[in-house]
């Protein structure tokens, strides 16, 4: 006889962990399956660790709403559980005169998204806040910050466990089959292939989430769920520039990312990144030949930086729904009942601001699960 559970969560990144924490209760059997040896080894530990304010996204999008809600939940969570963070604030800077209108647009967009503490800065005001930055103007977001994402993941994991969620690591989901009102989930672990039955399946498989949807039987091309991988690399700046910036410094956003920004981490080190370019496969190596590009980008705002001040650091990969040159795509967070898969909840394309939005995404999914149970 196959073991039966109530909820199977596929993937223990920040989204799977936050969701498990949200919905775990003693009366529900919640299991999290993770193909790696532990939680958070993929995108959730390969990002900028920035708590975003919610400026960039179209109003009424899930990205805007869940980022704004998630930011406030995340700061509270950090306070409550001693997760290190710093509300550093962030400044988006215009390098040239013709970029200033972009700042004004972002200011308006932010206000539409209920980010109501934004301040447009003249060159002189910017210089007072960031004496080392050379730019024409800026947009200050006081509520942006940085956090220790590893401790966040650890707290979410321990709380989910305390509430009764069970975790199976080194366990890859390799098949999903609908059986009436339930799903048969095939898993591969060290002992081989086995199966369990679950009433609800929550797909939080990050870079693999489109494949998981396909495994379940969805036509992902028709649904618009096919993911494109967009790599982002980071370079670190020599330790002699530890305090060169006081806040997060961002350029005007690029099409595929927020642009190469400057981040002074909680440890004082300054990182530059992430870049944004589409790749076919998951490979986290940093290509040293990209140093020149980072150097050019750094030089625009900090003219005194030299090429040898930069060192390759790390990389992450964005699970993007939009391919090269395509327009905005929102997070997919959908109960697939209409597609003929009641009980299957897909989370696809959870790129930035997914870390910030995680607690709000978990609440959103929690409401879907509650509806399915009652
Ligand atoms: C370069 C970069 C910078 C970013 N910066 C920020 C930022 O500053 N602020 C912010 O808010 N957001 C940022 N993000 C976005 C944020 O990191 C992601 O939205 C978030 O981490 C996504 O979490 P996840 O749980 O969906 O995915 P993941 O962390 O990738 O977790 C998915 C998990 O599913 C597991 N899995 C996959 N397939 C299977 C399977 N078949 N069986 C079992 N397990 C499986 C994987 O092993 C993985 O552990 C950034 C992203 C990138 C790439």
């Amino acid at each position: 006889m196959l073991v039966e559970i109530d909820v199977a969560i596929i993937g223990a990144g920040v989204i799977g962990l936050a969701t498990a924490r949200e919905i775990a209760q003693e009366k529900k059997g919640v299991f999290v399956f993770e193909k790696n040896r532990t939680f958070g080894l993929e995108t959730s530990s390969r990002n900028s660790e920035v708590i975003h304010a919610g400026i960039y996204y179209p109003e009424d999008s899930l990205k805007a709403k869940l980022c704004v809600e998630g930011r406030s939940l995340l700061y509270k969570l950090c306070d409550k559980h001693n997760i290190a963070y710093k509300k550093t604030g962030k400044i988006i800077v215009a390098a040239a005169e013709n970029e200033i209108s972009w700042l004004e647009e972002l200011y308006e967009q932010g206000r539409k998204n209920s980010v109501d503490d934004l301040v447009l800065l003249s060159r002189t005001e910017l210089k007072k806040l960031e004496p080392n930055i050379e730019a024409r103007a800026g947009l200050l977001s006081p509520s942006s910050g940085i956090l220790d994402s590893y401790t966040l993941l650890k707290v979410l994991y321990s709380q989910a466990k305390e509430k009764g969620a069970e975790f199976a690591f080194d366990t890859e989901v390799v098949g999903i089959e609908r059986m009436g009102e339930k799903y048969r989930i095939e898993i591969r672990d060290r002992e081989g292939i086995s199966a369990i039955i679950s009433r609800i399946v929550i797909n939080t498989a990050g870079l693999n989430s489109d494949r998981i949807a396909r495994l379940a039987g969805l036509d992902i091309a028709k649904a618009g769920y096919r993911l494109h991988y967009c790599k982002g690399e980071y370079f670190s700046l020599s330790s002699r520039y530890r305090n060169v910036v006081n806040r997060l410094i961002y350029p005007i956003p690029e099409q595929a990312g927020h642009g190469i920004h400057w981040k002074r981490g909680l440890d004082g080190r300054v990182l530059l990144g992430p870049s944004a370019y589409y790749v076919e496969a998951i490979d986290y190596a940093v290509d040293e030949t990209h140093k020149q590009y980072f150097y050019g980008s750094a030089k625009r705002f900090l003219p005194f930086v030299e090429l040898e001040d930069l060192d390759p650091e790390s990389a992450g990969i964005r699970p993007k729904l939009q391919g090269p040159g395509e327009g905005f795509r929102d997070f997919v967070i959908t109960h697939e009942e209409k597609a003929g898969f009641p009980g299957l909840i897909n989370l696809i394309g959870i790129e930035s601001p997914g870390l910030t939005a995680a607690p709000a995404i978990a609440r959103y999914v929690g409401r879907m699960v509650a509806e399915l149970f009652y």
Side-chain angles (χ1 to χ4, degrees), residues 11 15 34-36 44 47-48 50 173 208 350-351 354-356:
I15 304 298
E34 169 54 57
K35 68 178 167 56
N36 292 330
S44 297
N47 55 60
S48 304
V50 170
V173 170
N208 255 339
I350 312 297
E351 54 166 334
L355 184 69
T356 311

Side-chain angles (χ1 to χ4, degrees), residues 10-16 33-36 38-52 171-174 204-208 212 215 230-232 234 250 261 274-275 315-319 331 350-357:
I10 308 171
V14 70
I15 304 298
F33 299 99
E34 169 54 57
K35 68 178 167 56
N36 292 330
T38 188
F39 58 85
L41 293 183
E42 307 233 355
T43 312
S44 297
S45 54
R46 297 180 161 277
N47 55 60
S48 304
E49 300 184 296
V50 170
I51 302 178
H52 286 297
T171 304
E172 184 177 2
V173 170
V174 291
T204 56
L207 293 164
N208 255 339
I212 292 290
L215 272 188
C230 182
K231 187 161 175 175
Y234 296 87
Y250 279 60
H261 58 259
S275 50
I317 296 180
R318 304 170 180 86
F331 292 151
I350 312 297
E351 54 166 334
S352 192
L355 184 69
T356 311

Side-chain angles (χ1 to χ4, degrees), residues 133-260:
I133 293 288
E134 271 314 318
R136 309 293 301 172
L139 176 65
L140 172 68
S141 163
S143 55
S144 305
I146 50 173
L147 87 161
D148 167 4
S149 61
Y150 178 67
T151 309
L152 168 70
L153 295 169
K154 236 172 43 180
V155 166
L156 294 174
Y157 171 64
S158 332
Q159 289 208 325
K161 272 184 67 157
E162 270 165 33
K163 289 172 84 184
E166 302 208 32
F167 285 79
F169 293 116
D170 282 322
T171 304
E172 184 177 2
V173 170
V174 291
I176 304 172
E177 192 189 333
R178 193 167 158 211
M179 293 176 64
E181 295 296 292
K182 297 179 181 169
Y183 291 88
R184 179 180 183 276
I185 301 176
E186 209 166 66
I187 48 183
R188 181 167 49 212
D189 59 17
R190 286 190 200 126
E191 265 134 50
I193 299 220
S194 56
I196 49 119
I197 302 286
S198 184
R199 188 170 154 198
I200 294 175
V201 179
I202 305 180
N203 169 13
T204 56
L207 293 164
N208 255 339
S209 52
D210 58 343
R211 278 172 238 188
I212 292 290
R214 190 173 54 205
L215 272 188
L218 271 151
D219 180 342
I220 59 167
K222 198 167 146 211
Y225 288 174
R226 198 179 292 284
L227 286 175
H228 306 269
Y229 295 161
C230 182
K231 187 161 175 175
E233 294 172 320
Y234 296 87
F235 277 71
S236 60
L237 195 60
S238 159
S239 56
R240 68 197 164 101
Y241 292 121
R242 275 182 99 76
N243 296 324
V244 73
V245 288
N246 301 315
R247 296 167 184 75
L248 295 155
I249 305 292
Y250 279 60
I252 297 298
E254 295 166 356
Q255 208 204 0
H258 291 161
I260 293 205

Side-chain angles (χ1 to χ4, degrees), residues 47-85:
N47 55 60
S48 304
E49 300 184 296
V50 170
I51 302 178
H52 286 297
I55 303 169
Y56 301 97
Y57 323 102
E59 65 267 31
D60 299 329
S61 62
L62 286 176
K63 282 184 178 170
K65 286 196 276 196
L66 297 174
C67 182
V68 171
E69 184 189 340
R71 185 228 307 155
S72 131
L73 292 172
L74 198 50
Y75 279 127
K76 283 187 197 139
L77 195 73
C78 289
D79 280 332
K80 196 163 171 202
H81 299 286
N82 284 325
I83 302 168
Y85 76 92

Side-chain angles (χ1 to χ4, degrees), residues 2 19 212 221 275 332 366 370 374:
L2 293 178
T19 304
I212 292 290
S275 50
V332 166
Y374 301 107

